[in-house]
Amino acid sequence: MLKIKIKLKEVLKTKGITQKNLEAMTGIPQSRISTLCSGNRQEVNLLMLEKIAHALDITDLSELIQLEEEN
């Protein structure tokens, strides 16, 4: 079975942006960003992903999410 993996933690590290910086850029609470980074989120709000992608100048969502085999 395939599982959606959010790669936000890796993207933030690569771009040198903290969760608090992203909060300021998007208006999304740091606690929700932290949950996305931890990979424990069961549901993802598409508007939230759009805001994150816009703030991080991402035009290809494969930079933020990927499908992987669940163990």
Side-chain angles (χ1 to χ4, degrees):
M1 182 174 182
L2 293 175
K3 179 180 176 182
I4 294 175
K5 178 185 177 193
I6 305 295
K7 303 187 294 184
L8 183 56
K9 182 177 182 176
E10 294 90 344
V11 172
L12 291 177
K13 184 175 181 178
T14 299
K15 293 184 178 271
I17 297 173
T18 67
Q19 292 179 17
K20 283 304 248 182
N21 293 143
L22 187 59
E23 176 185 43
M25 295 164 72
T26 62
I28 299 169
Q30 187 270 329
S31 61
R32 294 188 78 188
I33 293 169
S34 177
T35 303
L36 276 178
C37 287
S38 72
N40 292 330
R41 189 163 191 91
Q42 295 297 317
E43 296 179 3
V44 177
N45 180 307
L46 292 179
L47 180 58
M48 189 166 50
L49 281 181
E50 286 175 356
K51 286 180 179 182
I52 291 169
H54 178 73
L56 298 177
D57 198 28
I58 292 174
T59 57
D60 183 353
L61 277 182
S62 68
E63 291 182 52
L64 269 180
I65 60 175
Q66 75 181 38
L67 290 172
E68 62 180 25
E69 285 291 328
E70 189 173 38
N71 294 337

